[in-house]
Amino acid sequence: MVTNKRNYVYWLKFRKDTGPLLRRFLIATSGLFLVAACLHLIPLFTNKGDIDFLFFVVDLGISLLFLLEYLLKNKVPLFVRILTLIGSAIFISVLSFFRSGLMGTGEISLAFIIISFFVFLPPIPSLLAALLICSIPLIVGISVYFSFLTFPEELGLRNQSPREWYFKSVSLVIFSILSGFLIQRLRAKLIKNIVYLKESRAKILKSNQHIDKLAFYDSLTQLPNRYLFKTLIQNRISLGQKDVFFLLINIKGIKVINALHGIGFGDQILSLIGDILKEYTKERPNTIVASLGGDEFILWIENSSKSRIEDAIIKFDLNNNQTLTPDRLGHRLQYRVSGIQFPEEASSLDEVIRKLSIAMNVAREHSMNHLVWFESEMEKKIEREQKLKNQLEKAIESNEFKIAYQEKVDIKTHTIVGLEALARWSVKEYGEISPEEFIPIITKSDMIVPFGKNIFQKVVSQIPNLIQSYGENIKISINISPIFFLYPNFNEFIIDYLKEQSVDPKILIFEITEDVFIDEIETIQKIVNSLRSNGISVSLDDFGKGYSSLHYMQKIQFDELKIDKSFLDDIAISDRNFLLLESICHLADSLGLKTIAEGIEREEQILHLKKTSCHIVQGYIYSKPIILFE
């Protein structure tokens, strides 16, 4: 049953191609019958023989009939055209038998119609029809046998013999079976090949669609990718569209989500964000959204303004989605947005993305869901940072940094009790570069360890001169970066170098900030204990600026506590701030820590500090950082 159904499907698909084939067949046959009709007129020009007007009229009529069906195209049903073709062939063959007997074209016509059956009809009907047509010579033979039909003597004795007609009938039967078998086999193979080619074409089209999807769409969010996005906006630009805004959206915390819930859940979040953005832009034909891969999305917005976009960003909230609720994720889903106007601030998509990325770096420094528009100063800052980064690498290699020292003064005895070593750097193109600018660049560029070693070694090399200038009791403080502090074998490097330079470790104080406690506190405790056991003091710097957790002070034994400038600025005018300062000093005293007040600039601050146990002061009121030896 399955085979029959398949054959039937083959036939239906093949019949679809029969129409054009039959039209070509009709025009060719029309031409042949026209030639045959003209051949009957030859005696008119040669004066030999008689004109067969009957066959002339028949051939010409059939030629015109086929031509008419060809011109009418599909207005004549396929079945009618086939029937006309077969009927005309039967008529010609019967007429030929009666007029010319076995000497005419009747047998050829019957062979033609048998082949036509097998070409244009299904297998079984074509075989039955062919066998039925083969009975025409048999019927003529029977008619001759019973003398119902008698041929003229000039047509020959063969026409008077029923056996000759029976033989022609049997010959046609054999011809029908053989030709039918051959044509059906060829047609079956042809149909299978056609079906195979069509199925292959369908598969290729499907594959091409899949390839196009992979080539033009993000596989995770199903949003257009960068290539398709570029094509879409190029089409808009070619239409003369101007005054357009681009937005870059960066999703924060996807790595945390992947760590907490798995990569699959993180991918689901990104996919849902893609759905939200598609839904958000579906009713906005002037907006195109695309994925740049990972956790970044880009939007093209027409016919808008900066104020309208800023209002939309404020109202837009990913956390409203049921799947993205803070309760399910463990925290609110945060995102940053940067924007740029096109073509005023960028002339190509690559330039747009580059400048959006620059603005995104600024957006990351702001509060949640803050939109930052690109400004040319941002690009200048990036260019400056890149130039400084390149020069910093050379500066570290060639030891170009200088050391400035700021004095620490005891306000009771008015004596200098210590110095803080501070790195200074100048560039010919920009002049003096503030540590607040070059230290972050060094940190981001993974140069902080070689930089820290460089500064430490330089300070150690100047300690003999410092002792000579300030006496043997002077203490030298060095700021140690958290990254350098946690560097493998940090203690070994410090102690070995001090021994190599014959410098007493007791002269040094390492100042560390609360940043270092991001890692395991047990590790920090071991490092601090090792340093202190070798004579190096450790100071907790910028106390009050960060978390100021008492947990650190409970676990780790420090020698000093440096109170941040932000705590000291208003102690002369704010009773609340002064009470906080007193509390910190009492806490330090109870733990056996020295307290140092940094950033002191006014006399009234000194007067209030004298009321506390904090007597060591560092600030501009006594001295600025000075380069002593270079």
Side-chain angles (χ1 to χ4, degrees):
M1 184 174 181
V2 175
T3 304
N4 292 336
K5 184 177 180 181
R6 186 179 299 170
N7 290 334
Y8 180 67
V9 170
Y10 284 164
W11 163 246
L12 288 178
K13 292 184 177 180
F14 182 74
R15 191 175 64 177
K16 185 178 179 181
D17 298 326
T18 303
L21 175 65
L22 184 59
R23 288 192 71 240
R24 298 189 193 97
F25 194 79
L26 285 172
I27 191 64
T29 308
S30 174
L32 291 174
F33 273 100
L34 181 61
V35 172
C38 293
L39 290 175
H40 289 296
L41 296 177
I42 291 177
L44 182 65
F45 301 102
T46 59
N47 296 320
K48 293 182 181 180
D50 298 324
I51 298 174
D52 193 337
F53 287 102
L54 176 63
F55 272 99
F56 169 74
V57 173
V58 169
D59 290 346
L60 184 61
I62 292 174
S63 175
L64 294 174
L65 176 64
F66 289 169
L67 179 63
L68 180 63
E69 289 187 352
Y70 172 81
L71 295 174
L72 290 175
K73 296 183 179 179
N74 294 328
K75 293 181 181 179
V76 180
L78 178 64
F79 176 76
V80 174
R81 282 181 280 171
I82 294 175
L83 193 62
T84 303
L85 188 65
I86 295 172
S88 300
I90 292 174
F91 177 75
I92 289 290
S93 62
V94 172
L95 181 62
S96 176
F97 283 142
F98 279 98
R99 284 289 303 275
S100 306
L102 293 171
M103 300 299 293
T105 58
E107 190 175 356
I108 297 174
S109 299
L110 289 180
F112 164 78
I113 192 151
I114 288 169
I115 293 174
S116 300
F117 281 147
F118 287 112
V119 171
F120 296 111
L121 294 178
I124 300 302
S126 62
L127 180 61
L128 294 176
L131 294 175
L132 184 62
I133 291 298
C134 291
S135 65
I136 291 178
L138 178 63
I139 294 170
V140 175
I142 293 172
S143 300
V144 170
Y145 178 78
F146 289 103
S147 300
F148 297 143
L149 181 62
T150 303
F151 289 93
E153 291 182 2
E154 60 269 17
L155 293 180
L157 297 175
R158 290 179 61 223
N159 293 305
Q160 309 298 339
S161 172
R163 186 179 62 181
E164 292 289 335
W165 290 100
Y166 301 155
F167 177 76
K168 294 300 179 184
S169 182
V170 172
S171 299
L172 286 173
V173 170
I174 295 172
F175 173 77
S176 299
I177 294 172
L178 293 177
S179 61
F181 175 77
L182 179 62
I183 291 174
Q184 291 300 334
R185 287 295 300 273
L186 291 174
R187 188 172 71 176
K189 288 186 177 181
L190 179 62
I191 292 173
K192 287 181 181 179
N193 289 334
I194 291 173
V195 172
Y196 174 76
L197 289 173
K198 288 186 176 180
E199 290 176 350
S200 299
R201 184 170 178 268
K203 289 180 181 178
I204 291 171
L205 289 174
K206 190 174 181 180
S207 298
N208 288 339
Q209 290 173 355
H210 181 65
I211 292 170
D212 288 345
K213 197 169 185 181
L214 291 176
F216 300 119
Y217 290 87
D218 179 67
S219 59
L220 184 60
T221 62
Q222 304 305 313
L223 288 170
N225 60 13
R226 181 186 298 204
Y227 180 80
L228 180 57
F229 181 73
K230 185 176 182 178
T231 302
L232 293 173
I233 66 171
Q234 287 294 347
N235 293 336
R236 297 286 184 100
I237 294 172
S238 63
L239 295 174
Q241 184 63 46
K242 294 182 179 180
D243 298 327
V244 178
F245 295 92
F246 283 90
L247 297 184
L248 180 65
I249 300 177
N250 176 264
I251 309 301
K252 183 182 178 183
I254 289 296
K255 291 182 180 179
V256 176
I257 292 173
N258 288 339
L260 292 175
H261 305 285
I263 295 176
F265 188 76
D267 289 345
Q268 182 184 1
I269 297 300
L270 290 173
S271 179
L272 287 169
I273 292 172
D275 292 339
I276 293 170
L277 291 172
K278 277 188 283 188
E279 190 67 27
Y280 190 77
T281 56
K282 185 184 295 182
E283 298 177 358
R284 296 170 174 83
N286 294 330
T287 302
I288 302 174
V289 62
S291 171
L292 293 182
D295 55 1
E296 288 191 332
F297 302 87
I298 189 168
L299 284 86
W300 156 287
I301 302 173
E302 302 172 11
N303 303 325
S304 189
S305 63
K306 286 188 176 182
S307 59
R308 287 170 60 188
I309 292 174
E310 288 169 357
D311 292 339
I313 291 298
I314 293 172
K315 295 175 183 177
F316 182 71
D317 188 4
L318 291 173
N319 297 278
N320 285 335
N321 187 279
Q322 186 176 0
T323 309
L324 306 179
T325 57
D327 291 339
R328 181 170 183 182
L329 298 181
H331 57 84
R332 285 182 61 82
L333 195 64
Q334 299 181 15
Y335 53 94
R336 304 285 188 269
V337 186
S338 60
I340 192 171
Q341 190 169 3
F342 178 87
E344 285 80 358
E345 296 173 321
S347 58
S348 66
L349 180 61
D350 291 338
E351 186 179 3
V352 164
I353 294 176
R354 182 176 64 82
K355 291 185 175 180
L356 283 174
S357 299
I358 292 173
M360 181 58 69
N361 289 331
V362 178
R364 290 190 179 98
E365 300 172 2
H366 290 73
S367 59
M368 182 177 65
N369 304 345
H370 184 82
L371 170 60
V372 174
W373 294 104
F374 172 80
E375 296 177 0
S376 58
E377 292 300 321
M378 297 176 184
E379 190 170 19
K380 292 178 182 177
K381 182 181 178 183
I382 294 292
E383 292 175 354
R384 176 184 169 97
E385 284 185 3
Q386 186 59 43
K387 288 182 179 179
L388 290 178
K389 176 188 172 184
N390 295 335
Q391 295 192 43
L392 278 166
E393 293 177 355
K394 298 176 182 177
I396 292 173
E397 290 177 3
S398 55
N399 197 14
E400 294 179 8
F401 294 95
K402 297 179 181 180
I403 306 299
Y405 295 93
Q406 188 174 29
E407 298 173 351
K408 296 178 183 179
V409 179
D410 188 327
I411 56 177
K412 281 190 173 182
T413 62
H414 299 286
T415 58
I416 299 171
V417 296
L419 299 168
E420 181 178 1
L422 301 166
R424 291 294 182 262
W425 183 49
S426 62
V427 181
K428 186 179 295 184
E429 183 179 353
Y430 300 111
E432 291 289 333
I433 308 297
S434 169
E436 293 180 355
E437 182 177 8
F438 71 76
I439 295 294
I441 297 174
I442 289 174
T443 304
K444 286 190 294 184
S445 305
D446 297 327
M447 296 185 289
I448 195 67
V449 172
F451 169 77
K453 290 182 177 181
N454 186 299
I455 298 302
F456 169 73
Q457 291 171 343
K458 197 153 196 173
V459 171
V460 170
S461 69
Q462 295 178 357
I463 284 178
N465 293 331
L466 292 172
I467 292 174
Q468 186 176 357
S469 300
Y470 290 93
E472 293 182 355
N473 294 325
I474 197 73
K475 292 280 190 176
I476 311 299
S477 299
I478 304 175
N479 288 287
I480 302 295
S481 161
I483 298 173
F484 185 32
F485 191 79
L486 293 170
Y487 187 72
N489 303 320
F490 169 76
N491 285 355
E492 290 81 351
F493 167 76
I494 297 297
I495 301 305
D496 290 345
Y497 190 78
L498 291 175
K499 289 180 179 178
E500 181 184 324
Q501 300 298 317
S502 300
V503 172
D504 186 358
K506 293 180 180 179
I507 199 173
L508 290 176
I509 301 175
F510 282 171
E511 296 184 1
I512 59 175
T513 59
E514 294 180 33
D515 299 10
V516 77
F517 298 107
I518 294 173
D519 291 88
E520 295 183 10
I521 196 167
E522 287 78 9
T523 304
I524 309 300
Q525 190 176 21
K526 291 178 181 178
I527 297 173
V528 171
N529 289 340
S530 176
L531 290 172
R532 297 184 75 248
S533 65
N534 283 281
I536 299 174
S537 301
V538 180
S539 173
L540 181 58
D541 195 12
D542 296 337
F543 185 82
K545 186 177 181 180
Y547 297 105
S548 303
S549 175
L550 298 180
H551 178 63
Y552 306 148
M553 302 174 69
Q554 177 189 6
K555 290 283 186 179
I556 300 174
Q557 180 63 52
F558 295 102
D559 297 286
E560 286 185 356
L561 189 68
K562 290 191 73 173
I563 304 172
D564 187 67
K565 183 178 183 295
S566 59
F567 257 99
L568 301 165
D569 282 342
D570 299 327
I571 57 172
I573 58 175
S574 172
D575 293 337
R576 183 181 182 86
N577 283 8
F578 182 73
L579 287 173
L580 284 171
L581 173 63
E582 281 190 318
S583 299
I584 293 171
C585 291
H586 287 313
L587 174 64
D589 291 341
S590 64
L591 294 174
L593 304 178
K594 293 180 182 179
T595 52
I596 291 95
E598 60 180 347
I600 302 302
E601 299 174 353
R602 301 186 303 277
E603 187 65 35
E604 55 267 26
Q605 290 175 295
I606 298 293
L607 295 175
H608 279 74
L609 282 169
K610 287 181 178 180
K611 299 176 183 178
T612 70
S613 59
C614 178
H615 297 151
I616 309 299
V617 171
Q618 179 181 344
Y620 282 8
I621 191 171
Y622 287 109
S623 72
K624 293 182 178 181
I626 300 172
I627 299 172
L628 298 177
F629 305 114
E630 296 174 85

